[in-house]
Amino acid sequence: MPEIFYEIQDFLMNTNVEQKIVGDNSSDIYNTAMKELHRLESMMSFYKEASEVSLLNRQSGKEVVKLSSEMMLVLQQSEYFSILSENAFNIMLSPLIQLWRSAGKRNELPSDNDIENALYLCNSDNLVICEETAYLKKEGCMIDLGGIGKGFAADVCCNIYKDMGAKSAFINLGGNVKAIGNRADGKQWTVGIQHPDKPRGNCYCAIMCSDLSVVTSGGYERYQEINGVKYHHILDGRTGYPSDTDLKSVTVISKSSTQADALSTAAFVMGLKRGIDLIYASKCVGAIFFTTSNEIYMTKGVNQNLKLLERMKCYEV
């Protein structure tokens, strides 16, 4: 068994970050990973004025912006998942998000006219991506990488773990989980999946994984109340409203955390039937769908990684 097991929690990218690293030089691996996480945050943050995201947003409707190769890669991946999901995944929704946030503070719904104006800016066609540059066509357009950036960062960290010789490792970036190898005791890493209707920490299943990422999206995570009605934070860029389907949550299992991050949001917005089609089209490992009727649907092969913690109706599709 490796001599050193390093476990620590930090706060960055506006979320809790948990890392577990098994290896003789685990402390050095952690320090290298943290430097990279801070660098990625400074590049992809929506809120930091010096970030590449902010630079691109400030130049919307004005100038083409040259970006780093990593930033271009994230934008290209975002474009791919947007096309694959028929725009259910969309990094252009910030004008709509800001509209709902502002309306919520006034305890009123956004007007139909305001939603229509915001959707005009949220069209994914407003983002033009070239080899080294990007351009936002209309003034007021903004990108936000909150739906893919943490997954990308988890992938980068796991590459660092491998390159620096970690025996195994685990990272949880605000619910974006990725593990390499097995735990120090030789067993697979275990990821608990939150029950959408119960207080945090109550899981309805556990996923055993090695060299896999697990990401869950659901309307229970964040919401605001307007006139006594709860509106969750996952917006549908095709309607302008919080997504309203037959799902409470979607958990995606993939070798790529970038892919799992984007697909979990997209499948949640698309609903059960179309979400299942998306998962198979993506060729990821699989997904688990928790429906509004409290039933579980899983794609083929997922059951070998899954342990149900509650008695529920469960179907393989």
Side-chain angles (χ1 to χ4, degrees):
M1 181 181 295
E3 296 181 356
I4 300 176
F5 175 67
Y6 200 85
E7 180 176 1
I8 195 165
Q9 292 192 25
D10 300 282
F11 188 87
L12 70 159
M13 292 188 170
N14 201 35
T15 193
N16 293 314
V17 179
E18 177 186 15
Q19 296 183 75
K20 300 176 182 179
I21 305 169
V22 182
D24 293 336
N25 60 334
S26 55
S27 178
D28 291 338
I29 296 172
Y30 162 77
N31 288 328
T32 302
M34 281 299 295
K35 288 179 182 177
E36 187 64 8
L37 284 173
H38 281 293
R39 189 183 72 83
L40 291 174
E41 181 180 31
S42 67
M43 178 181 77
M44 296 190 294
S45 173
F46 180 83
Y47 299 101
K48 292 182 179 294
E49 289 188 6
S51 74
E52 293 188 43
V53 166
S54 294
L55 174 61
L56 181 60
N57 289 343
R58 282 196 300 271
Q59 295 301 323
S60 62
K62 300 174 184 176
E63 296 182 2
V64 172
V65 178
K66 186 173 182 179
L67 300 169
S68 66
S69 59
E70 285 172 303
M71 185 68 176
M72 292 305 304
L73 177 60
V74 176
L75 293 183
Q76 289 160 2
Q77 288 287 296
S78 299
E79 182 180 51
Y80 169 78
F81 291 118
S82 178
I83 293 170
L84 184 67
S85 67
E86 299 175 355
N87 290 322
F89 176 78
N90 187 351
I91 63 171
M92 300 282 291
L93 296 183
S94 189
L96 193 62
I97 294 169
Q98 305 300 326
L99 175 65
W100 275 89
R101 188 171 294 162
S102 177
K105 291 179 180 179
R106 301 191 304 271
N107 194 35
E108 62 185 31
L109 292 173
S111 69
D112 291 341
N113 185 61
D114 286 342
I115 287 177
E116 184 178 349
N117 290 336
L119 286 176
Y120 175 72
L121 297 173
C122 295
N123 191 317
S124 59
D125 291 339
N126 289 329
L127 174 61
V128 179
I129 302 172
C130 299
E131 288 188 7
E132 297 181 343
T133 62
Y135 175 59
L136 292 168
K137 291 181 181 179
K138 297 179 176 64
E139 187 175 356
C141 287
M142 293 181 286
I143 66 165
D144 186 337
L145 301 178
I148 196 171
K150 289 188 287 293
F152 180 79
D155 284 333
V156 170
C157 282
C158 284
N159 287 336
I160 290 172
Y161 301 152
K162 292 177 183 178
D163 291 344
M164 295 188 67
K167 302 292 192 301
S168 65
F170 172 101
I171 185 169
N172 183 348
L173 260 160
N176 290 261
V177 174
K178 189 169 185 179
I180 61 171
N182 293 323
R183 301 182 325 193
D185 60 7
K187 296 180 180 179
Q188 289 182 302
W189 297 99
T190 301
V191 182
I193 307 302
Q194 174 68 37
H195 194 297
D197 298 328
K198 296 187 177 181
R200 180 164 292 278
N202 288 270
C203 299
Y204 76 88
C205 75
I207 297 175
M208 272 57 75
C209 61
S210 300
D211 300 308
L212 290 173
S213 178
V214 180
V215 181
T216 300
S217 291
Y220 62 90
E221 293 176 324
R222 299 197 303 273
Y223 60 86
Q224 59 184 346
E225 288 194 21
I226 300 176
N227 293 324
V229 179
K230 292 181 180 179
Y231 294 88
H232 66 74
H233 73 291
I234 302 178
L235 300 176
D236 187 338
R238 299 161 300 179
T239 67
Y241 284 83
S243 64
D244 184 13
T245 67
D246 51 1
L247 296 175
K248 290 184 179 178
S249 74
V250 177
T251 298
V252 174
I253 306 168
S254 172
K255 292 183 179 180
S256 162
S257 194
T258 305
Q259 182 186 54
D261 201 3
L263 291 181
S264 64
T265 300
F268 180 78
V269 171
M270 295 174 82
L272 180 62
K273 185 179 184 303
R274 294 177 63 225
I276 291 171
D277 291 341
L278 172 68
I279 295 303
Y280 279 116
S282 74
K283 302 187 186 306
C284 71
V285 173
I288 305 163
F289 299 81
F290 192 117
T291 71
T292 52
S293 56
N294 294 330
E295 295 175 328
I296 303 301
Y297 291 81
M298 67 181 80
T299 56
K300 290 180 174 61
V302 168
N303 60 346
Q304 65 186 3
N305 297 86
L306 177 70
K307 179 181 179 181
L308 282 175
L309 303 178
E310 295 192 6
R311 298 188 65 178
M312 304 179 69
K313 292 182 179 179
C314 190
Y315 307 94
E316 189 175 71
V317 291

